[in-house]
Amino acid sequence: MLGLNFDISLVEKASQCLIQMLQLFAQSQLKKREIFFVESHFQYLMSAIKSDRQIIQKRVLKCIYWALIQNEYQIQLGKDKINQLEIQMEQMINSKDRSIAQTSREVYKLLSQQR
């Protein structure tokens, strides 16, 4: 049981650090884009978004949203990955948490555009 709590704590800390990095990067005036997601990162994002902790879900949803709206380095997912993510978003759209539901809707719309 200790290992499971450690894993959840680690994922929660990692998601918090990732969001903080993205926020700092977005606020910087640098034009060079060095922080971005690629399809190989997708497995980790999907694993984390399936967490039962809403704070982790919110942070990972923000990361996925950010990856989909980038101009220069927008993540390009294969059809199988898009399908996986759409299924997950369909489930999360019905969340009682308004933030999760709204961000899930936005991510779902962006995924539809990538098809």
Side-chain angles (χ1 to χ4, degrees):
M1 189 65 170
L2 178 63
L4 180 61
N5 286 336
F6 176 75
D7 288 344
I8 291 172
S9 177
L10 184 63
V11 170
E12 187 170 342
K13 291 287 185 192
S15 68
Q16 181 181 12
C17 289
L18 186 55
I19 287 296
Q20 288 173 339
M21 284 186 345
L22 292 174
Q23 288 171 338
L24 288 171
F25 182 71
Q27 291 173 2
S28 79
Q29 300 299 317
L30 298 176
K31 298 294 180 195
K32 193 172 179 185
R33 302 285 188 231
E34 294 177 348
I35 299 177
F36 58 94
F37 295 99
V38 294
E39 190 169 353
S40 62
H41 298 142
F42 179 78
Q43 63 183 332
Y44 305 110
L45 295 172
M46 279 303 289
S47 174
I49 205 164
K50 291 179 182 179
S51 169
D52 59 349
R53 309 243 345 228
Q54 287 186 338
I55 190 68
I56 294 173
Q57 289 177 341
K58 287 179 186 182
R59 290 174 182 157
V60 173
L61 273 170
K62 287 180 184 179
C63 291
I64 293 170
Y65 177 78
W66 190 85
L68 291 169
I69 63 168
Q70 287 302 296
N71 290 329
E72 289 181 61
Y73 293 110
Q74 183 183 48
I75 191 170
Q76 297 298 316
L77 298 172
K79 288 185 181 191
D80 60 324
K81 303 283 194 263
I82 290 174
N83 289 338
Q84 287 178 2
L85 197 49
E86 282 180 332
I87 290 168
Q88 187 67 36
M89 292 304 104
E90 287 171 350
Q91 295 171 2
M92 296 179 82
I93 284 172
N94 297 319
S95 174
K96 292 179 182 176
D97 184 291
R98 284 182 38 208
S99 175
I100 290 174
Q102 180 62 34
T103 307
S104 297
R105 269 192 287 284
E106 293 301 317
V107 168
Y108 190 86
K109 288 177 194 175
L110 292 167
L111 290 170
S112 297
Q113 294 170 3
Q114 272 201 14
R115 283 190 169 272

